[in-house]
């Protein structure tokens, strides 16, 4: 119905969803895949998120009263983290 109202596939629609964490993980995965195919980005705020769901979000933010807004960084995908680990591993090999 949303694409009927906005048929331009080049337009990304942001769709807020409340209580997404209450949906089962398998249904959440299906929902994200279905929306992604139609160019719809889901936006939600989850106080009690599940780690398994983080992979479905392109941007992940954590709000903390003491520290403000923090961004999650996936160290497995970060090239700078890979370079850091290679430097640490090289240092350890030299010391051994």
């Amino acid at each position: 119905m949303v694409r009927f109202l906005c048929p331009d596939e080049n337009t990304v629609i942001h769709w807020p969803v409340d209580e997404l964490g209450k949906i089962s993980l398998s249904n959440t995965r299906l929902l994200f895949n279905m929306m992604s195919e139609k160019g719809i980005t889901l936006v939600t705020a989850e106080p009690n998120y599940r780690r398994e769901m983080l992979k479905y979000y392109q941007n992940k933010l954590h709000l903390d009263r003491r520290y403000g807004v923090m961004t999650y960084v996936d160290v497995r995908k970060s090239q700078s983290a890979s370079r850091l680990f290679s430097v640490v591993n090289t240092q350890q090999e030299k010391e051994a």
Side-chain angles (χ1 to χ4, degrees):
M1 177 117 132
V2 173
R3 278 298 171 200
F4 178 75
L5 297 172
C6 179
D8 182 9
E9 295 286 333
N10 293 320
T11 301
V12 177
I13 298 172
H14 294 82
W15 190 286
V17 180
D18 192 23
E19 300 294 335
L20 190 59
K22 297 199 184 247
I23 300 174
S24 72
L25 191 57
S26 60
N27 285 331
T28 301
R29 179 177 37 86
L30 293 172
L31 180 63
F32 269 94
N33 290 339
M34 180 177 64
M35 294 296 186
S36 178
E37 289 172 4
K38 297 296 181 184
I40 300 172
T41 300
L42 295 178
V43 179
T44 189
E46 282 296 324
N48 301 315
Y49 68 90
R50 295 176 290 188
R51 285 192 173 277
E52 300 87 16
M53 287 183 56
L54 290 178
K55 65 182 174 184
Y56 297 110
Y57 294 100
Q58 184 175 4
N59 299 303
K60 299 168 264 303
L61 302 174
H62 177 73
L63 304 178
D64 188 286
R65 289 179 191 213
R66 294 172 293 180
Y67 305 111
V69 179
M70 296 180 285
T71 304
Y72 285 91
V73 177
D74 189 351
V75 294
R76 294 171 291 183
K77 293 180 182 178
S78 173
Q79 291 180 350
S80 61
S82 298
R83 280 187 260 133
L84 174 64
F85 287 130
S86 66
V87 169
V88 170
N89 289 336
T90 304
Q91 294 265 349
Q92 287 176 348
E93 290 172 2
K94 288 180 182 178
E95 291 173 0

